[in-house]
Short mmCIF file of all heavy atoms in Angstrom, two decimals:
data_model
loop_
_atom_site.label_atom_id
_atom_site.label_comp_id
_atom_site.label_asym_id
_atom_site.label_seq_id
_atom_site.Cartn_x
_atom_site.Cartn_y
_atom_site.Cartn_z
N GLY F 281 141.82 -40.91 34.02
CA GLY F 281 142.18 -41.36 32.70
C GLY F 281 143.00 -42.67 32.62
O GLY F 281 143.35 -43.01 31.51
N VAL F 282 143.39 -43.23 33.75
CA VAL F 282 144.09 -44.48 33.75
C VAL F 282 143.15 -45.65 33.84
O VAL F 282 142.30 -45.70 34.66
CB VAL F 282 145.12 -44.55 34.94
CG1 VAL F 282 145.88 -45.84 34.94
CG2 VAL F 282 146.05 -43.38 34.89
N SER F 283 143.29 -46.61 32.89
CA SER F 283 142.42 -47.77 32.91
C SER F 283 143.08 -48.90 33.74
O SER F 283 144.28 -48.92 33.83
CB SER F 283 142.14 -48.29 31.48
OG SER F 283 141.62 -47.20 30.72
N LEU F 284 142.25 -49.80 34.28
CA LEU F 284 142.75 -50.90 35.15
C LEU F 284 142.19 -52.21 34.83
O LEU F 284 140.98 -52.29 34.47
CB LEU F 284 142.40 -50.56 36.67
CG LEU F 284 142.81 -49.16 37.24
CD1 LEU F 284 142.26 -49.00 38.63
CD2 LEU F 284 144.36 -49.06 37.23
N LEU F 285 143.02 -53.22 34.86
CA LEU F 285 142.58 -54.59 34.76
C LEU F 285 143.04 -55.25 36.05
O LEU F 285 144.24 -55.24 36.33
CB LEU F 285 143.16 -55.28 33.52
CG LEU F 285 142.85 -56.82 33.40
CD1 LEU F 285 141.32 -57.03 33.26
CD2 LEU F 285 143.51 -57.39 32.15
N LEU F 286 142.10 -55.77 36.82
CA LEU F 286 142.30 -56.07 38.22
C LEU F 286 142.01 -57.57 38.49
O LEU F 286 140.90 -58.02 38.27
CB LEU F 286 141.40 -55.22 39.04
CG LEU F 286 141.23 -55.54 40.53
CD1 LEU F 286 142.48 -55.18 41.34
CD2 LEU F 286 140.03 -54.67 41.02
N ILE F 287 143.04 -58.31 38.99
CA ILE F 287 142.79 -59.66 39.51
C ILE F 287 142.54 -59.45 41.00
O ILE F 287 143.36 -58.85 41.76
CB ILE F 287 144.04 -60.55 39.32
CG1 ILE F 287 144.24 -60.87 37.80
CG2 ILE F 287 143.81 -61.90 40.10
CD1 ILE F 287 145.48 -61.66 37.55
N GLU F 288 141.48 -60.06 41.52
CA GLU F 288 141.27 -59.97 42.99
C GLU F 288 140.29 -61.12 43.37
O GLU F 288 139.41 -61.46 42.66
CB GLU F 288 140.58 -58.62 43.27
CG GLU F 288 140.40 -58.37 44.79
CD GLU F 288 141.72 -58.59 45.57
OE1 GLU F 288 142.70 -57.84 45.34
OE2 GLU F 288 141.77 -59.56 46.35
N HIS F 289 140.63 -61.72 44.57
CA HIS F 289 139.78 -62.80 45.07
C HIS F 289 138.75 -62.30 46.06
O HIS F 289 137.83 -63.07 46.46
CB HIS F 289 140.68 -63.86 45.67
CG HIS F 289 141.41 -64.72 44.72
ND1 HIS F 289 140.79 -65.61 43.87
CD2 HIS F 289 142.72 -64.79 44.36
CE1 HIS F 289 141.66 -66.23 43.12
NE2 HIS F 289 142.85 -65.68 43.34
N GLN F 290 138.90 -61.05 46.56
CA GLN F 290 137.94 -60.52 47.45
C GLN F 290 136.73 -59.95 46.66
O GLN F 290 136.81 -58.88 46.04
CB GLN F 290 138.56 -59.40 48.31
CG GLN F 290 139.63 -59.92 49.27
CD GLN F 290 140.13 -58.88 50.28
OE1 GLN F 290 139.35 -57.92 50.62
NE2 GLN F 290 141.32 -58.97 50.72
N MET F 291 135.65 -60.68 46.72
CA MET F 291 134.48 -60.33 45.88
C MET F 291 133.85 -59.00 46.25
O MET F 291 133.21 -58.34 45.43
CB MET F 291 133.46 -61.47 45.84
CG MET F 291 133.96 -62.76 45.21
SD MET F 291 134.27 -62.55 43.43
CE MET F 291 136.10 -62.59 43.47
N ASP F 292 133.95 -58.69 47.51
CA ASP F 292 133.36 -57.33 47.90
C ASP F 292 134.13 -56.23 47.19
O ASP F 292 133.55 -55.23 46.80
CB ASP F 292 133.33 -57.15 49.43
CG ASP F 292 134.76 -57.27 50.07
OD1 ASP F 292 135.63 -57.90 49.42
OD2 ASP F 292 134.95 -56.67 51.10
N MET F 293 135.43 -56.35 47.05
CA MET F 293 136.28 -55.37 46.35
C MET F 293 135.80 -55.35 44.89
O MET F 293 135.68 -54.21 44.29
CB MET F 293 137.74 -55.83 46.53
CG MET F 293 138.71 -54.86 45.85
SD MET F 293 139.12 -53.43 46.90
CE MET F 293 140.54 -52.84 46.09
N ILE F 294 135.67 -56.53 44.26
CA ILE F 294 135.24 -56.55 42.86
C ILE F 294 133.91 -55.88 42.72
O ILE F 294 133.68 -55.11 41.75
CB ILE F 294 135.22 -57.99 42.38
CG1 ILE F 294 136.63 -58.62 42.34
CG2 ILE F 294 134.55 -58.16 40.99
CD1 ILE F 294 137.50 -58.09 41.28
N SER F 295 132.96 -56.21 43.55
CA SER F 295 131.62 -55.65 43.43
C SER F 295 131.57 -54.12 43.60
O SER F 295 130.78 -53.41 42.90
CB SER F 295 130.65 -56.32 44.45
OG SER F 295 131.00 -56.00 45.76
N ARG F 296 132.45 -53.64 44.50
CA ARG F 296 132.44 -52.14 44.72
C ARG F 296 133.13 -51.38 43.59
O ARG F 296 132.70 -50.32 43.21
CB ARG F 296 133.16 -51.85 46.06
CG ARG F 296 132.43 -52.22 47.30
CD ARG F 296 132.93 -51.44 48.50
NE ARG F 296 134.36 -51.52 48.59
CZ ARG F 296 135.05 -52.43 49.24
NH1 ARG F 296 134.42 -53.41 49.81
NH2 ARG F 296 136.42 -52.41 49.30
N LEU F 297 134.21 -51.95 43.04
CA LEU F 297 135.06 -51.20 42.19
C LEU F 297 134.80 -51.41 40.70
O LEU F 297 134.97 -50.50 39.91
CB LEU F 297 136.54 -51.55 42.41
CG LEU F 297 137.20 -50.94 43.68
CD1 LEU F 297 138.71 -51.36 43.77
CD2 LEU F 297 137.07 -49.40 43.69
N CYS F 298 134.53 -52.62 40.28
CA CYS F 298 134.62 -52.98 38.87
C CYS F 298 133.42 -52.55 38.07
O CYS F 298 132.27 -52.88 38.47
CB CYS F 298 134.93 -54.46 38.73
SG CYS F 298 136.50 -54.92 39.37
N ASP F 299 133.67 -51.98 36.89
CA ASP F 299 132.52 -51.62 36.01
C ASP F 299 132.12 -52.84 35.18
O ASP F 299 131.06 -52.91 34.73
CB ASP F 299 133.04 -50.49 35.11
CG ASP F 299 133.55 -49.28 35.84
OD1 ASP F 299 132.75 -48.71 36.58
OD2 ASP F 299 134.76 -48.94 35.73
N HIS F 300 133.13 -53.72 34.96
CA HIS F 300 132.88 -54.90 34.12
C HIS F 300 133.78 -56.01 34.66
O HIS F 300 134.88 -55.76 35.15
CB HIS F 300 133.30 -54.55 32.65
CG HIS F 300 132.90 -55.64 31.64
ND1 HIS F 300 131.58 -55.84 31.26
CD2 HIS F 300 133.62 -56.63 31.00
CE1 HIS F 300 131.53 -56.88 30.42
NE2 HIS F 300 132.76 -57.35 30.28
N VAL F 301 133.27 -57.26 34.56
CA VAL F 301 134.05 -58.41 35.16
C VAL F 301 134.13 -59.53 34.15
O VAL F 301 133.13 -59.88 33.52
CB VAL F 301 133.35 -58.88 36.48
CG1 VAL F 301 134.15 -60.02 37.09
CG2 VAL F 301 133.18 -57.76 37.42
N VAL F 302 135.32 -60.08 34.03
CA VAL F 302 135.53 -61.30 33.13
C VAL F 302 135.89 -62.41 34.12
O VAL F 302 136.69 -62.32 34.97
CB VAL F 302 136.66 -61.01 32.19
CG1 VAL F 302 136.93 -62.27 31.35
CG2 VAL F 302 136.39 -59.83 31.30
N VAL F 303 135.20 -63.56 33.83
CA VAL F 303 135.50 -64.75 34.63
C VAL F 303 136.25 -65.78 33.79
O VAL F 303 135.93 -66.04 32.63
CB VAL F 303 134.17 -65.47 35.06
CG1 VAL F 303 134.50 -66.73 35.92
CG2 VAL F 303 133.30 -64.51 35.82
N MET F 304 137.41 -66.19 34.33
CA MET F 304 138.21 -67.28 33.66
C MET F 304 138.12 -68.57 34.38
O MET F 304 137.93 -68.62 35.62
CB MET F 304 139.71 -66.80 33.64
CG MET F 304 140.04 -65.78 32.67
SD MET F 304 141.86 -65.46 32.57
CE MET F 304 142.37 -67.06 31.76
N ALA F 305 138.16 -69.61 33.63
CA ALA F 305 138.19 -70.98 34.19
C ALA F 305 138.89 -71.87 33.23
O ALA F 305 138.72 -71.82 31.97
CB ALA F 305 136.75 -71.48 34.42
N GLU F 306 139.82 -72.70 33.73
CA GLU F 306 140.49 -73.71 32.95
C GLU F 306 141.24 -73.08 31.78
O GLU F 306 141.27 -73.64 30.66
CB GLU F 306 139.60 -74.85 32.49
CG GLU F 306 138.93 -75.52 33.67
CD GLU F 306 138.03 -76.72 33.18
OE1 GLU F 306 137.70 -76.74 31.97
OE2 GLU F 306 137.64 -77.54 34.00
N GLY F 307 141.80 -71.91 32.01
CA GLY F 307 142.67 -71.32 30.98
C GLY F 307 142.02 -70.47 29.89
O GLY F 307 142.61 -70.11 28.90
N ARG F 308 140.67 -70.26 30.04
CA ARG F 308 140.02 -69.45 28.94
C ARG F 308 138.89 -68.65 29.66
O ARG F 308 138.54 -68.88 30.80
CB ARG F 308 139.39 -70.44 27.90
CG ARG F 308 138.44 -71.45 28.47
CD ARG F 308 137.73 -72.21 27.35
NE ARG F 308 138.67 -72.97 26.58
CZ ARG F 308 138.93 -74.28 26.85
NH1 ARG F 308 138.36 -74.87 27.88
NH2 ARG F 308 139.75 -74.97 26.09
N ARG F 309 138.38 -67.68 28.85
CA ARG F 309 137.28 -66.91 29.34
C ARG F 309 136.02 -67.70 29.45
O ARG F 309 135.67 -68.45 28.50
CB ARG F 309 137.02 -65.69 28.40
CG ARG F 309 135.86 -64.80 28.83
CD ARG F 309 135.54 -63.78 27.76
NE ARG F 309 135.11 -64.50 26.59
CZ ARG F 309 134.87 -63.90 25.38
NH1 ARG F 309 135.15 -62.57 25.23
NH2 ARG F 309 134.45 -64.58 24.34
N LEU F 310 135.35 -67.65 30.55
CA LEU F 310 134.12 -68.42 30.78
C LEU F 310 132.91 -67.55 30.45
O LEU F 310 132.03 -67.97 29.61
CB LEU F 310 134.04 -68.89 32.23
CG LEU F 310 132.76 -69.64 32.61
CD1 LEU F 310 132.69 -71.01 31.85
CD2 LEU F 310 132.75 -69.95 34.10
N VAL F 311 132.83 -66.40 31.02
CA VAL F 311 131.71 -65.44 30.80
C VAL F 311 132.11 -64.12 31.28
O VAL F 311 133.11 -63.95 32.01
CB VAL F 311 130.45 -66.02 31.57
CG1 VAL F 311 130.66 -65.96 33.07
CG2 VAL F 311 129.16 -65.31 31.17
N GLU F 312 131.39 -63.09 30.90
CA GLU F 312 131.65 -61.75 31.37
C GLU F 312 130.38 -60.93 31.51
O GLU F 312 129.30 -61.27 30.92
CB GLU F 312 132.65 -61.04 30.44
CG GLU F 312 132.20 -60.87 28.95
CD GLU F 312 133.27 -60.22 28.14
OE1 GLU F 312 133.49 -58.97 28.30
OE2 GLU F 312 133.91 -60.91 27.35
N GLY F 313 130.45 -59.87 32.25
CA GLY F 313 129.29 -58.97 32.44
C GLY F 313 129.48 -58.18 33.70
O GLY F 313 130.57 -58.02 34.23
N THR F 314 128.39 -57.64 34.25
CA THR F 314 128.47 -56.91 35.53
C THR F 314 128.54 -57.92 36.65
O THR F 314 128.27 -59.08 36.52
CB THR F 314 127.22 -56.04 35.70
OG1 THR F 314 126.08 -56.87 35.90
CG2 THR F 314 127.02 -55.09 34.57
N PHE F 315 129.04 -57.48 37.77
CA PHE F 315 129.23 -58.39 38.93
C PHE F 315 127.83 -58.96 39.35
O PHE F 315 127.75 -60.12 39.63
CB PHE F 315 129.79 -57.63 40.08
CG PHE F 315 130.04 -58.55 41.30
CD1 PHE F 315 131.17 -59.34 41.37
CD2 PHE F 315 129.09 -58.58 42.30
CE1 PHE F 315 131.35 -60.18 42.45
CE2 PHE F 315 129.30 -59.45 43.47
CZ PHE F 315 130.42 -60.23 43.49
N ALA F 316 126.77 -58.13 39.30
CA ALA F 316 125.47 -58.62 39.69
C ALA F 316 125.02 -59.75 38.72
O ALA F 316 124.42 -60.74 39.18
CB ALA F 316 124.47 -57.47 39.70
N GLU F 317 125.28 -59.58 37.44
CA GLU F 317 124.88 -60.61 36.52
C GLU F 317 125.65 -61.86 36.78
O GLU F 317 125.10 -63.02 36.71
CB GLU F 317 125.15 -60.11 35.08
CG GLU F 317 124.23 -58.99 34.63
CD GLU F 317 124.71 -58.40 33.32
OE1 GLU F 317 125.88 -58.60 32.89
OE2 GLU F 317 123.88 -57.57 32.78
N LEU F 318 126.98 -61.78 37.01
CA LEU F 318 127.78 -63.00 37.22
C LEU F 318 127.46 -63.70 38.47
O LEU F 318 127.59 -64.90 38.57
CB LEU F 318 129.27 -62.59 37.13
CG LEU F 318 129.71 -61.96 35.82
CD1 LEU F 318 131.18 -61.58 35.91
CD2 LEU F 318 129.52 -62.95 34.67
#
């Protein structure tokens, strides 16, 4: 029941763990979706 927002540079970790991914660039949200989509 604990929710998580996770910053990580290891993409294998992101792909294994995250249900949803938000991409930031230049101080704002760029795009979001599943890791496979991104």
